[in-house]
């Protein structure tokens, strides 16, 4: 095996690394921290299936709930879950961290445009 044939695969991986990093940043992420939702609004494109990442960085369990989307997901402290959203029509889809739903900071909206 020549030196070039050993180096080419490594160069290919390095060349693709920036594109892979950019792709990861486009995954919408919601963080739940003991009754605080961040960000409180997520904008998504209409008619496009999306995977949403929900992380619980708090010390207690959290429940991501959207009645309009018919989603309920309990997330243990320190855990991250993914939620596959179907292609949605334009509109607003409220959600709440249900275990702290009495707090304004526990409410959010997914806005599909």
């Amino acid at each position: 095996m020549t030196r070039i044939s050993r180096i080419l695969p490594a160069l290919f991986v390095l060349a693709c690394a920036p594109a892979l990093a950019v792709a990861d940043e486009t995954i919408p992420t919601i963080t739940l921290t003991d009754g605080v939702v961040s960000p409180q609004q997520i904008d998504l494109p209409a008619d496009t299936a999306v995977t949403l990442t929900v992380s619980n960085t708090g010390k207690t369990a959290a429940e991501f709930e959207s009645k309009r989307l018919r989603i309920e997901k309990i997330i243990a402290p320190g855990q991250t879950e993914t939620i596959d959203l179907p292609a949605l029509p334009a509109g607003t889809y409220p959600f709440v961290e249900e275990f702290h739903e009495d707090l304004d900071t526990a409410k959010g909206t997914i806005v599909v445009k």
Side-chain angles (χ1 to χ4, degrees):
M1 186 180 271
T2 68
R3 184 176 180 175
I4 298 278
S5 64
R6 287 184 294 208
I7 293 174
L8 282 177
L11 290 175
F12 178 76
V13 170
L14 288 174
C16 292
L20 294 174
V22 170
D24 290 342
E25 292 173 10
T26 61
I27 297 173
T29 301
I30 295 173
T31 303
L32 310 175
T33 309
D34 300 321
V36 177
V37 170
S38 179
Q40 288 188 296
Q41 180 176 315
I42 295 273
D43 295 328
L44 298 178
D47 304 317
T48 305
V50 174
T51 297
L52 180 67
T53 300
V54 182
S55 295
N56 180 359
T57 59
K59 296 179 181 177
T60 61
E63 181 176 355
F64 178 89
E65 180 178 9
S66 174
K67 290 183 180 179
R68 184 153 184 223
L69 294 171
R70 297 183 179 155
I71 296 171
E72 287 185 86
K73 180 91 75 172
I74 295 175
I75 305 168
Q79 297 298 307
T80 298
E81 297 284 337
T82 58
I83 299 170
D84 293 323
L85 299 176
L88 298 169
T92 57
Y93 301 84
F95 65 89
V96 65
E97 197 281 274
E98 188 176 24
F99 294 160
H100 296 91
E101 67 185 330
D102 55 326
L103 301 174
D104 287 338
T105 57
K107 298 173 182 155
T109 306
I110 296 171
V111 177
V112 179
K113 332 180 194 186

